[in-house]
Amino acid sequence: MENNLFEIKNLYHSYDGKNNVLNNINLKIEKNKIISLFGPSGSGKSTLLYIIGNLLTQSSGKVIYNFENIQKNMGFVFQNFNLINELTIFENCKIAQNIRGYEDINEILELSKNVQISELLNKYPNELSTGQLQRASILRSIVGNTKLILCDEPTGALDSKNKENIMNIFSSLKGKKTIFIVSHDDIVKSYSDKIYYIFDGSIKEA
Ligand SMILES: Nc1ncnc2c1ncn2[C@@H]1O[C@H](COP(=O)(O)OP(=O)(O)OP(=O)(O)O)[C@@H](O)[C@H]1O
């Protein structure tokens, strides 16, 4: 278990109590790697991501986390960014950091250089391009020393140059964080340490 950040055991999920969207998922996710999950539309990828992220409770089975303070140690990156429009990028990140129990302006400033938005911290979301918005939402997901970054189609809204840019940023974070990406995008595969496929609620390793 020491090398694994979390483990999924005998996990089932049904939304209607009849049909299993997830059907006995068993998975061990290593620390500090990029892991991606592919599968047809409706195969249960987002459902699994939300269960891992504690945003949805499974019907049965377990997710066993090898870290404390589960909610504070997870960050989310969504296709549509989910930034608060009334707040600057800096304020969006500060709130996330505070919720995770940290108060450290330098961390935000330093990490903003890594994700190439240090010049944009005082802008509002509606002043940024889609690539910049995605980098801002990555910054929000990594401040406060998070261990696990859960991403739902993080490259979906981007052109190919920005896709490469985002995946390079994820690559630069690996070694320090585990990045778990749900995707349809082939570009994500070439950056992944491990690729899983989900089909009819069951998982296969590539
Ligand atoms: N809140 C919900 N209530 C009922 N059914 C749901 C709900 N959310 C998802 N489903 C159903 O569960 C199945 C899996 O959906 P999910 O969104 O996990 O798939 P996905 O693989 O992420 O799809 P996509 O690639 O299109 O995003 C689908 O049949 C979907 O219609």
mmCIF file with all atom_site columns, all heavy atoms in Angstrom, residues 63-86:
data_model
loop_
_atom_site.group_PDB
_atom_site.id
_atom_site.type_symbol
_atom_site.label_atom_id
_atom_site.label_alt_id
_atom_site.label_comp_id
_atom_site.label_asym_id
_atom_site.label_entity_id
_atom_site.label_seq_id
_atom_site.pdbx_PDB_ins_code
_atom_site.Cartn_x
_atom_site.Cartn_y
_atom_site.Cartn_z
_atom_site.occupancy
_atom_site.B_iso_or_equiv
_atom_site.pdbx_formal_charge
_atom_site.auth_seq_id
_atom_site.auth_comp_id
_atom_site.auth_asym_id
_atom_site.auth_atom_id
_atom_site.pdbx_PDB_model_num
ATOM 1   N N   . VAL A 1 63 ? -13.307 2.997  -1.289  1.00 0.00 ? 63 VAL A N   1
ATOM 2   C CA  . VAL A 1 63 ? -12.096 3.684  -1.751  1.00 0.00 ? 63 VAL A CA  1
ATOM 3   C C   . VAL A 1 63 ? -11.250 3.881  -0.495  1.00 0.00 ? 63 VAL A C   1
ATOM 4   O O   . VAL A 1 63 ? -11.717 4.482  0.481   1.00 0.00 ? 63 VAL A O   1
ATOM 5   C CB  . VAL A 1 63 ? -12.407 5.057  -2.391  1.00 0.00 ? 63 VAL A CB  1
ATOM 6   C CG1 . VAL A 1 63 ? -11.121 5.687  -2.924  1.00 0.00 ? 63 VAL A CG1 1
ATOM 7   C CG2 . VAL A 1 63 ? -13.443 4.934  -3.500  1.00 0.00 ? 63 VAL A CG2 1
ATOM 8   N N   . ILE A 1 64 ? -10.037 3.316  -0.508  1.00 0.00 ? 64 ILE A N   1
ATOM 9   C CA  . ILE A 1 64 ? -9.160  3.420  0.665   1.00 0.00 ? 64 ILE A CA  1
ATOM 10  C C   . ILE A 1 64 ? -8.033  4.385  0.318   1.00 0.00 ? 64 ILE A C   1
ATOM 11  O O   . ILE A 1 64 ? -7.259  4.141  -0.623  1.00 0.00 ? 64 ILE A O   1
ATOM 12  C CB  . ILE A 1 64 ? -8.571  2.035  1.023   1.00 0.00 ? 64 ILE A CB  1
ATOM 13  C CG1 . ILE A 1 64 ? -9.716  1.056  1.275   1.00 0.00 ? 64 ILE A CG1 1
ATOM 14  C CG2 . ILE A 1 64 ? -7.670  2.128  2.250   1.00 0.00 ? 64 ILE A CG2 1
ATOM 15  C CD1 . ILE A 1 64 ? -9.284  -0.394 1.167   1.00 0.00 ? 64 ILE A CD1 1
ATOM 16  N N   . TYR A 1 65 ? -7.978  5.497  1.039   1.00 0.00 ? 65 TYR A N   1
ATOM 17  C CA  . TYR A 1 65 ? -6.986  6.546  0.747   1.00 0.00 ? 65 TYR A CA  1
ATOM 18  C C   . TYR A 1 65 ? -5.784  6.343  1.658   1.00 0.00 ? 65 TYR A C   1
ATOM 19  O O   . TYR A 1 65 ? -5.946  6.107  2.858   1.00 0.00 ? 65 TYR A O   1
ATOM 20  C CB  . TYR A 1 65 ? -7.574  7.937  0.996   1.00 0.00 ? 65 TYR A CB  1
ATOM 21  C CG  . TYR A 1 65 ? -8.830  8.206  0.205   1.00 0.00 ? 65 TYR A CG  1
ATOM 22  C CD1 . TYR A 1 65 ? -10.079 7.855  0.712   1.00 0.00 ? 65 TYR A CD1 1
ATOM 23  C CD2 . TYR A 1 65 ? -8.770  8.809  -1.042  1.00 0.00 ? 65 TYR A CD2 1
ATOM 24  C CE1 . TYR A 1 65 ? -11.240 8.101  -0.003  1.00 0.00 ? 65 TYR A CE1 1
ATOM 25  C CE2 . TYR A 1 65 ? -9.927  9.054  -1.769  1.00 0.00 ? 65 TYR A CE2 1
ATOM 26  C CZ  . TYR A 1 65 ? -11.156 8.696  -1.240  1.00 0.00 ? 65 TYR A CZ  1
ATOM 27  O OH  . TYR A 1 65 ? -12.302 8.939  -1.955  1.00 0.00 ? 65 TYR A OH  1
ATOM 28  N N   . ASN A 1 66 ? -4.602  6.489  1.075   1.00 0.00 ? 66 ASN A N   1
ATOM 29  C CA  . ASN A 1 66 ? -3.377  6.353  1.865   1.00 0.00 ? 66 ASN A CA  1
ATOM 30  C C   . ASN A 1 66 ? -2.886  7.732  2.312   1.00 0.00 ? 66 ASN A C   1
ATOM 31  O O   . ASN A 1 66 ? -1.706  8.035  2.255   1.00 0.00 ? 66 ASN A O   1
ATOM 32  C CB  . ASN A 1 66 ? -2.315  5.643  1.008   1.00 0.00 ? 66 ASN A CB  1
ATOM 33  C CG  . ASN A 1 66 ? -1.129  5.208  1.830   1.00 0.00 ? 66 ASN A CG  1
ATOM 34  O OD1 . ASN A 1 66 ? -1.201  5.173  3.054   1.00 0.00 ? 66 ASN A OD1 1
ATOM 35  N ND2 . ASN A 1 66 ? -0.037  4.883  1.162   1.00 0.00 ? 66 ASN A ND2 1
ATOM 36  N N   . PHE A 1 67 ? -3.833  8.605  2.667   1.00 0.00 ? 67 PHE A N   1
ATOM 37  C CA  . PHE A 1 67 ? -3.473  9.925  3.188   1.00 0.00 ? 67 PHE A CA  1
ATOM 38  C C   . PHE A 1 67 ? -4.609  10.444 4.062   1.00 0.00 ? 67 PHE A C   1
ATOM 39  O O   . PHE A 1 67 ? -5.747  9.978  3.949   1.00 0.00 ? 67 PHE A O   1
ATOM 40  C CB  . PHE A 1 67 ? -3.133  10.909 2.055   1.00 0.00 ? 67 PHE A CB  1
ATOM 41  C CG  . PHE A 1 67 ? -4.194  11.083 1.000   1.00 0.00 ? 67 PHE A CG  1
ATOM 42  C CD1 . PHE A 1 67 ? -5.124  12.108 1.085   1.00 0.00 ? 67 PHE A CD1 1
ATOM 43  C CD2 . PHE A 1 67 ? -4.255  10.242 -0.111  1.00 0.00 ? 67 PHE A CD2 1
ATOM 44  C CE1 . PHE A 1 67 ? -6.085  12.295 0.105   1.00 0.00 ? 67 PHE A CE1 1
ATOM 45  C CE2 . PHE A 1 67 ? -5.212  10.420 -1.092  1.00 0.00 ? 67 PHE A CE2 1
ATOM 46  C CZ  . PHE A 1 67 ? -6.135  11.447 -0.986  1.00 0.00 ? 67 PHE A CZ  1
ATOM 47  N N   . GLU A 1 68 ? -4.256  11.376 4.936   1.00 0.00 ? 68 GLU A N   1
ATOM 48  C CA  . GLU A 1 68 ? -5.222  11.934 5.886   1.00 0.00 ? 68 GLU A CA  1
ATOM 49  C C   . GLU A 1 68 ? -5.967  13.109 5.239   1.00 0.00 ? 68 GLU A C   1
ATOM 50  O O   . GLU A 1 68 ? -5.601  13.550 4.165   1.00 0.00 ? 68 GLU A O   1
ATOM 51  C CB  . GLU A 1 68 ? -4.479  12.475 7.124   1.00 0.00 ? 68 GLU A CB  1
ATOM 52  C CG  . GLU A 1 68 ? -3.529  11.494 7.786   1.00 0.00 ? 68 GLU A CG  1
ATOM 53  C CD  . GLU A 1 68 ? -4.263  10.483 8.637   1.00 0.00 ? 68 GLU A CD  1
ATOM 54  O OE1 . GLU A 1 68 ? -5.156  10.897 9.388   1.00 0.00 ? 68 GLU A OE1 1
ATOM 55  O OE2 . GLU A 1 68 ? -3.959  9.281  8.514   1.00 0.00 ? 68 GLU A OE2 1
ATOM 56  N N   . ASN A 1 69 ? -6.945  13.617 5.928   1.00 0.00 ? 69 ASN A N   1
ATOM 57  C CA  . ASN A 1 69 ? -7.656  14.832 5.484   1.00 0.00 ? 69 ASN A CA  1
ATOM 58  C C   . ASN A 1 69 ? -8.026  14.764 4.004   1.00 0.00 ? 69 ASN A C   1
ATOM 59  O O   . ASN A 1 69 ? -7.588  15.583 3.199   1.00 0.00 ? 69 ASN A O   1
ATOM 60  C CB  . ASN A 1 69 ? -6.805  16.086 5.724   1.00 0.00 ? 69 ASN A CB  1
ATOM 61  C CG  . ASN A 1 69 ? -6.610  16.330 7.190   1.00 0.00 ? 69 ASN A CG  1
ATOM 62  O OD1 . ASN A 1 69 ? -7.498  16.044 7.996   1.00 0.00 ? 69 ASN A OD1 1
ATOM 63  N ND2 . ASN A 1 69 ? -5.445  16.824 7.555   1.00 0.00 ? 69 ASN A ND2 1
ATOM 64  N N   . ILE A 1 70 ? -8.795  13.772 3.675   1.00 0.00 ? 70 ILE A N   1
ATOM 65  C CA  . ILE A 1 70 ? -9.035  13.419 2.275   1.00 0.00 ? 70 ILE A CA  1
ATOM 66  C C   . ILE A 1 70 ? -9.484  14.608 1.438   1.00 0.00 ? 70 ILE A C   1
ATOM 67  O O   . ILE A 1 70 ? -8.902  14.932 0.405   1.00 0.00 ? 70 ILE A O   1
ATOM 68  C CB  . ILE A 1 70 ? -10.065 12.275 2.210   1.00 0.00 ? 70 ILE A CB  1
ATOM 69  C CG1 . ILE A 1 70 ? -9.435  11.026 2.812   1.00 0.00 ? 70 ILE A CG1 1
ATOM 70  C CG2 . ILE A 1 70 ? -10.504 11.982 0.784   1.00 0.00 ? 70 ILE A CG2 1
ATOM 71  C CD1 . ILE A 1 70 ? -10.417 10.046 3.341   1.00 0.00 ? 70 ILE A CD1 1
ATOM 72  N N   . GLN A 1 71 ? -10.526 15.308 1.889   1.00 0.00 ? 71 GLN A N   1
ATOM 73  C CA  . GLN A 1 71 ? -11.091 16.390 1.081   1.00 0.00 ? 71 GLN A CA  1
ATOM 74  C C   . GLN A 1 71 ? -10.080 17.529 0.873   1.00 0.00 ? 71 GLN A C   1
ATOM 75  O O   . GLN A 1 71 ? -10.007 18.108 -0.200  1.00 0.00 ? 71 GLN A O   1
ATOM 76  C CB  . GLN A 1 71 ? -12.368 16.921 1.750   1.00 0.00 ? 71 GLN A CB  1
ATOM 77  C CG  . GLN A 1 71 ? -13.420 17.374 0.763   1.00 0.00 ? 71 GLN A CG  1
ATOM 78  C CD  . GLN A 1 71 ? -13.976 16.224 -0.087  1.00 0.00 ? 71 GLN A CD  1
ATOM 79  O OE1 . GLN A 1 71 ? -14.313 15.169 0.437   1.00 0.00 ? 71 GLN A OE1 1
ATOM 80  N NE2 . GLN A 1 71 ? -14.046 16.423 -1.389  1.00 0.00 ? 71 GLN A NE2 1
ATOM 81  N N   . LYS A 1 72 ? -9.279  17.798 1.894   1.00 0.00 ? 72 LYS A N   1
ATOM 82  C CA  . LYS A 1 72 ? -8.319  18.907 1.800   1.00 0.00 ? 72 LYS A CA  1
ATOM 83  C C   . LYS A 1 72 ? -7.145  18.581 0.893   1.00 0.00 ? 72 LYS A C   1
ATOM 84  O O   . LYS A 1 72 ? -6.408  19.465 0.471   1.00 0.00 ? 72 LYS A O   1
ATOM 85  C CB  . LYS A 1 72 ? -7.789  19.257 3.192   1.00 0.00 ? 72 LYS A CB  1
ATOM 86  C CG  . LYS A 1 72 ? -8.815  19.932 4.069   1.00 0.00 ? 72 LYS A CG  1
ATOM 87  C CD  . LYS A 1 72 ? -8.222  20.341 5.392   1.00 0.00 ? 72 LYS A CD  1
ATOM 88  C CE  . LYS A 1 72 ? -9.282  21.038 6.224   1.00 0.00 ? 72 LYS A CE  1
ATOM 89  N NZ  . LYS A 1 72 ? -8.818  21.328 7.583   1.00 0.00 ? 72 LYS A NZ  1
ATOM 90  N N   . ASN A 1 73 ? -6.938  17.305 0.630   1.00 0.00 ? 73 ASN A N   1
ATOM 91  C CA  . ASN A 1 73 ? -5.783  16.908 -0.170  1.00 0.00 ? 73 ASN A CA  1
ATOM 92  C C   . ASN A 1 73 ? -6.107  16.590 -1.617  1.00 0.00 ? 73 ASN A C   1
ATOM 93  O O   . ASN A 1 73 ? -5.263  16.095 -2.350  1.00 0.00 ? 73 ASN A O   1
ATOM 94  C CB  . ASN A 1 73 ? -5.084  15.716 0.497   1.00 0.00 ? 73 ASN A CB  1
ATOM 95  C CG  . ASN A 1 73 ? -4.086  16.198 1.521   1.00 0.00 ? 73 ASN A CG  1
ATOM 96  O OD1 . ASN A 1 73 ? -3.196  16.983 1.198   1.00 0.00 ? 73 ASN A OD1 1
ATOM 97  N ND2 . ASN A 1 73 ? -4.260  15.783 2.757   1.00 0.00 ? 73 ASN A ND2 1
ATOM 98  N N   . MET A 1 74 ? -7.350  16.895 -2.004  1.00 0.00 ? 74 MET A N   1
ATOM 99  C CA  . MET A 1 74 ? -7.732  16.647 -3.396  1.00 0.00 ? 74 MET A CA  1
ATOM 100 C C   . MET A 1 74 ? -8.080  17.973 -4.084  1.00 0.00 ? 74 MET A C   1
ATOM 101 O O   . MET A 1 74 ? -8.763  18.812 -3.510  1.00 0.00 ? 74 MET A O   1
ATOM 102 C CB  . MET A 1 74 ? -8.951  15.723 -3.458  1.00 0.00 ? 74 MET A CB  1
ATOM 103 C CG  . MET A 1 74 ? -8.645  14.336 -2.924  1.00 0.00 ? 74 MET A CG  1
ATOM 104 S SD  . MET A 1 74 ? -9.898  13.108 -3.325  1.00 0.00 ? 74 MET A SD  1
ATOM 105 C CE  . MET A 1 74 ? -11.210 13.575 -2.240  1.00 0.00 ? 74 MET A CE  1
ATOM 106 N N   . GLY A 1 75 ? -7.612  18.116 -5.321  1.00 0.00 ? 75 GLY A N   1
ATOM 107 C CA  . GLY A 1 75 ? -7.985  19.270 -6.137  1.00 0.00 ? 75 GLY A CA  1
ATOM 108 C C   . GLY A 1 75 ? -8.673  18.781 -7.390  1.00 0.00 ? 75 GLY A C   1
ATOM 109 O O   . GLY A 1 75 ? -8.424  17.658 -7.841  1.00 0.00 ? 75 GLY A O   1
ATOM 110 N N   . PHE A 1 76 ? -9.539  19.624 -7.963  1.00 0.00 ? 76 PHE A N   1
ATOM 111 C CA  . PHE A 1 76 ? -10.310 19.231 -9.146  1.00 0.00 ? 76 PHE A CA  1
ATOM 112 C C   . PHE A 1 76 ? -10.026 20.161 -10.318 1.00 0.00 ? 76 PHE A C   1
ATOM 113 O O   . PHE A 1 76 ? -9.923  21.371 -10.140 1.00 0.00 ? 76 PHE A O   1
ATOM 114 C CB  . PHE A 1 76 ? -11.816 19.284 -8.841  1.00 0.00 ? 76 PHE A CB  1
ATOM 115 C CG  . PHE A 1 76 ? -12.235 18.259 -7.828  1.00 0.00 ? 76 PHE A CG  1
ATOM 116 C CD1 . PHE A 1 76 ? -12.173 18.539 -6.477  1.00 0.00 ? 76 PHE A CD1 1
ATOM 117 C CD2 . PHE A 1 76 ? -12.661 17.004 -8.239  1.00 0.00 ? 76 PHE A CD2 1
ATOM 118 C CE1 . PHE A 1 76 ? -12.528 17.580 -5.535  1.00 0.00 ? 76 PHE A CE1 1
ATOM 119 C CE2 . PHE A 1 76 ? -13.024 16.043 -7.306  1.00 0.00 ? 76 PHE A CE2 1
ATOM 120 C CZ  . PHE A 1 76 ? -12.958 16.335 -5.954  1.00 0.00 ? 76 PHE A CZ  1
ATOM 121 N N   . VAL A 1 77 ? -9.944  19.572 -11.498 1.00 0.00 ? 77 VAL A N   1
ATOM 122 C CA  . VAL A 1 77 ? -9.826  20.357 -12.732 1.00 0.00 ? 77 VAL A CA  1
ATOM 123 C C   . VAL A 1 77 ? -10.924 19.860 -13.679 1.00 0.00 ? 77 VAL A C   1
ATOM 124 O O   . VAL A 1 77 ? -10.935 18.677 -14.041 1.00 0.00 ? 77 VAL A O   1
ATOM 125 C CB  . VAL A 1 77 ? -8.442  20.160 -13.391 1.00 0.00 ? 77 VAL A CB  1
ATOM 126 C CG1 . VAL A 1 77 ? -8.356  20.915 -14.705 1.00 0.00 ? 77 VAL A CG1 1
ATOM 127 C CG2 . VAL A 1 77 ? -7.331  20.618 -12.447 1.00 0.00 ? 77 VAL A CG2 1
ATOM 128 N N   . PHE A 1 78 ? -11.834 20.746 -14.027 1.00 0.00 ? 78 PHE A N   1
ATOM 129 C CA  . PHE A 1 78 ? -12.958 20.367 -14.879 1.00 0.00 ? 78 PHE A CA  1
ATOM 130 C C   . PHE A 1 78 ? -12.804 20.998 -16.263 1.00 0.00 ? 78 PHE A C   1
ATOM 131 O O   . PHE A 1 78 ? -12.125 22.009 -16.418 1.00 0.00 ? 78 PHE A O   1
ATOM 132 C CB  . PHE A 1 78 ? -14.282 20.857 -14.269 1.00 0.00 ? 78 PHE A CB  1
ATOM 133 C CG  . PHE A 1 78 ? -14.583 20.272 -12.926 1.00 0.00 ? 78 PHE A CG  1
ATOM 134 C CD1 . PHE A 1 78 ? -14.312 20.978 -11.769 1.00 0.00 ? 78 PHE A CD1 1
ATOM 135 C CD2 . PHE A 1 78 ? -15.137 19.004 -12.808 1.00 0.00 ? 78 PHE A CD2 1
ATOM 136 C CE1 . PHE A 1 78 ? -14.588 20.444 -10.521 1.00 0.00 ? 78 PHE A CE1 1
ATOM 137 C CE2 . PHE A 1 78 ? -15.417 18.461 -11.568 1.00 0.00 ? 78 PHE A CE2 1
ATOM 138 C CZ  . PHE A 1 78 ? -15.143 19.179 -10.423 1.00 0.00 ? 78 PHE A CZ  1
ATOM 139 N N   . GLN A 1 79 ? -13.500 20.417 -17.229 1.00 0.00 ? 79 GLN A N   1
ATOM 140 C CA  . GLN A 1 79 ? -13.455 20.961 -18.585 1.00 0.00 ? 79 GLN A CA  1
ATOM 141 C C   . GLN A 1 79 ? -13.926 22.418 -18.611 1.00 0.00 ? 79 GLN A C   1
ATOM 142 O O   . GLN A 1 79 ? -13.396 23.245 -19.338 1.00 0.00 ? 79 GLN A O   1
ATOM 143 C CB  . GLN A 1 79 ? -14.332 20.102 -19.502 1.00 0.00 ? 79 GLN A CB  1
ATOM 144 C CG  . GLN A 1 79 ? -14.305 20.552 -20.932 1.00 0.00 ? 79 GLN A CG  1
ATOM 145 C CD  . GLN A 1 79 ? -15.024 19.588 -21.854 1.00 0.00 ? 79 GLN A CD  1
ATOM 146 O OE1 . GLN A 1 79 ? -15.471 18.519 -21.432 1.00 0.00 ? 79 GLN A OE1 1
ATOM 147 N NE2 . GLN A 1 79 ? -15.133 19.953 -23.105 1.00 0.00 ? 79 GLN A NE2 1
ATOM 148 N N   . ASN A 1 80 ? -14.956 22.726 -17.803 1.00 0.00 ? 80 ASN A N   1
ATOM 149 C CA  . ASN A 1 80 ? -15.508 24.089 -17.844 1.00 0.00 ? 80 ASN A CA  1
ATOM 150 C C   . ASN A 1 80 ? -14.987 24.966 -16.702 1.00 0.00 ? 80 ASN A C   1
ATOM 151 O O   . ASN A 1 80 ? -15.597 25.967 -16.354 1.00 0.00 ? 80 ASN A O   1
ATOM 152 C CB  . ASN A 1 80 ? -17.031 24.052 -17.870 1.00 0.00 ? 80 ASN A CB  1
ATOM 153 C CG  . ASN A 1 80 ? -17.581 23.359 -16.642 1.00 0.00 ? 80 ASN A CG  1
ATOM 154 O OD1 . ASN A 1 80 ? -16.796 22.857 -15.831 1.00 0.00 ? 80 ASN A OD1 1
ATOM 155 N ND2 . ASN A 1 80 ? -18.879 23.332 -16.471 1.00 0.00 ? 80 ASN A ND2 1
ATOM 156 N N   . PHE A 1 81 ? -13.866 24.579 -16.120 1.00 0.00 ? 81 PHE A N   1
ATOM 157 C CA  . PHE A 1 81 ? -13.053 25.376 -15.183 1.00 0.00 ? 81 PHE A CA  1
ATOM 158 C C   . PHE A 1 81 ? -13.684 25.574 -13.798 1.00 0.00 ? 81 PHE A C   1
ATOM 159 O O   . PHE A 1 81 ? -13.005 25.461 -12.792 1.00 0.00 ? 81 PHE A O   1
ATOM 160 C CB  . PHE A 1 81 ? -12.674 26.752 -15.777 1.00 0.00 ? 81 PHE A CB  1
ATOM 161 C CG  . PHE A 1 81 ? -12.368 26.693 -17.248 1.00 0.00 ? 81 PHE A CG  1
ATOM 162 C CD1 . PHE A 1 81 ? -13.097 27.440 -18.170 1.00 0.00 ? 81 PHE A CD1 1
ATOM 163 C CD2 . PHE A 1 81 ? -11.361 25.869 -17.724 1.00 0.00 ? 81 PHE A CD2 1
ATOM 164 C CE1 . PHE A 1 81 ? -12.831 27.359 -19.529 1.00 0.00 ? 81 PHE A CE1 1
ATOM 165 C CE2 . PHE A 1 81 ? -11.082 25.777 -19.074 1.00 0.00 ? 81 PHE A CE2 1
ATOM 166 C CZ  . PHE A 1 81 ? -11.822 26.528 -19.986 1.00 0.00 ? 81 PHE A CZ  1
ATOM 167 N N   . ASN A 1 82 ? -14.988 25.928 -13.726 1.00 0.00 ? 82 ASN A N   1
ATOM 168 C CA  . ASN A 1 82 ? -15.657 26.134 -12.422 1.00 0.00 ? 82 ASN A CA  1
ATOM 169 C C   . ASN A 1 82 ? -14.948 27.146 -11.527 1.00 0.00 ? 82 ASN A C   1
ATOM 170 O O   . ASN A 1 82 ? -14.885 26.958 -10.315 1.00 0.00 ? 82 ASN A O   1
ATOM 171 C CB  . ASN A 1 82 ? -15.792 24.804 -11.662 1.00 0.00 ? 82 ASN A CB  1
ATOM 172 C CG  . ASN A 1 82 ? -16.897 23.934 -12.250 1.00 0.00 ? 82 ASN A CG  1
ATOM 173 O OD1 . ASN A 1 82 ? -17.484 24.293 -13.274 1.00 0.00 ? 82 ASN A OD1 1
ATOM 174 N ND2 . ASN A 1 82 ? -17.177 22.826 -11.615 1.00 0.00 ? 82 ASN A ND2 1
ATOM 175 N N   . LEU A 1 83 ? -14.399 28.201 -12.120 1.00 0.00 ? 83 LEU A N   1
ATOM 176 C CA  . LEU A 1 83 ? -13.838 29.291 -11.312 1.00 0.00 ? 83 LEU A CA  1
ATOM 177 C C   . LEU A 1 83 ? -14.966 30.232 -10.909 1.00 0.00 ? 83 LEU A C   1
ATOM 178 O O   . LEU A 1 83 ? -15.999 30.292 -11.590 1.00 0.00 ? 83 LEU A O   1
ATOM 179 C CB  . LEU A 1 83 ? -12.787 30.050 -12.127 1.00 0.00 ? 83 LEU A CB  1
ATOM 180 C CG  . LEU A 1 83 ? -11.523 29.236 -12.449 1.00 0.00 ? 83 LEU A CG  1
ATOM 181 C CD1 . LEU A 1 83 ? -10.821 29.806 -13.672 1.00 0.00 ? 83 LEU A CD1 1
ATOM 182 C CD2 . LEU A 1 83 ? -10.577 29.203 -11.258 1.00 0.00 ? 83 LEU A CD2 1
ATOM 183 N N   . ILE A 1 84 ? -14.781 30.962 -9.810  1.00 0.00 ? 84 ILE A N   1
ATOM 184 C CA  . ILE A 1 84 ? -15.801 31.920 -9.373  1.00 0.00 ? 84 ILE A CA  1
ATOM 185 C C   . ILE A 1 84 ? -15.580 33.232 -10.131 1.00 0.00 ? 84 ILE A C   1
ATOM 186 O O   . ILE A 1 84 ? -14.527 33.871 -10.002 1.00 0.00 ? 84 ILE A O   1
ATOM 187 C CB  . ILE A 1 84 ? -15.718 32.150 -7.849  1.00 0.00 ? 84 ILE A CB  1
ATOM 188 C CG1 . ILE A 1 84 ? -15.916 30.813 -7.119  1.00 0.00 ? 84 ILE A CG1 1
ATOM 189 C CG2 . ILE A 1 84 ? -16.744 33.186 -7.390  1.00 0.00 ? 84 ILE A CG2 1
ATOM 190 C CD1 . ILE A 1 84 ? -15.595 30.862 -5.638  1.00 0.00 ? 84 ILE A CD1 1
ATOM 191 N N   . ASN A 1 85 ? -16.558 33.628 -10.943 1.00 0.00 ? 85 ASN A N   1
ATOM 192 C CA  . ASN A 1 85 ? -16.376 34.760 -11.860 1.00 0.00 ? 85 ASN A CA  1
ATOM 193 C C   . ASN A 1 85 ? -16.199 36.106 -11.176 1.00 0.00 ? 85 ASN A C   1
ATOM 194 O O   . ASN A 1 85 ? -15.584 37.007 -11.724 1.00 0.00 ? 85 ASN A O   1
ATOM 195 C CB  . ASN A 1 85 ? -17.567 34.847 -12.816 1.00 0.00 ? 85 ASN A CB  1
ATOM 196 C CG  . ASN A 1 85 ? -17.493 33.763 -13.868 1.00 0.00 ? 85 ASN A CG  1
ATOM 197 O OD1 . ASN A 1 85 ? -16.402 33.426 -14.337 1.00 0.00 ? 85 ASN A OD1 1
ATOM 198 N ND2 . ASN A 1 85 ? -18.633 33.182 -14.208 1.00 0.00 ? 85 ASN A ND2 1
ATOM 199 N N   . GLU A 1 86 ? -16.748 36.236 -9.962  1.00 0.00 ? 86 GLU A N   1
ATOM 200 C CA  . GLU A 1 86 ? -16.689 37.520 -9.252  1.00 0.00 ? 86 GLU A CA  1
ATOM 201 C C   . GLU A 1 86 ? -15.340 37.730 -8.556  1.00 0.00 ? 86 GLU A C   1
ATOM 202 O O   . GLU A 1 86 ? -15.085 38.786 -8.001  1.00 0.00 ? 86 GLU A O   1
ATOM 203 C CB  . GLU A 1 86 ? -17.804 37.611 -8.191  1.00 0.00 ? 86 GLU A CB  1
ATOM 204 C CG  . GLU A 1 86 ? -19.205 37.707 -8.764  1.00 0.00 ? 86 GLU A CG  1
ATOM 205 C CD  . GLU A 1 86 ? -19.708 36.425 -9.404  1.00 0.00 ? 86 GLU A CD  1
ATOM 206 O OE1 . GLU A 1 86 ? -19.207 35.326 -9.044  1.00 0.00 ? 86 GLU A OE1 1
ATOM 207 O OE2 . GLU A 1 86 ? -20.576 36.511 -10.301 1.00 0.00 ? 86 GLU A OE2 1
#
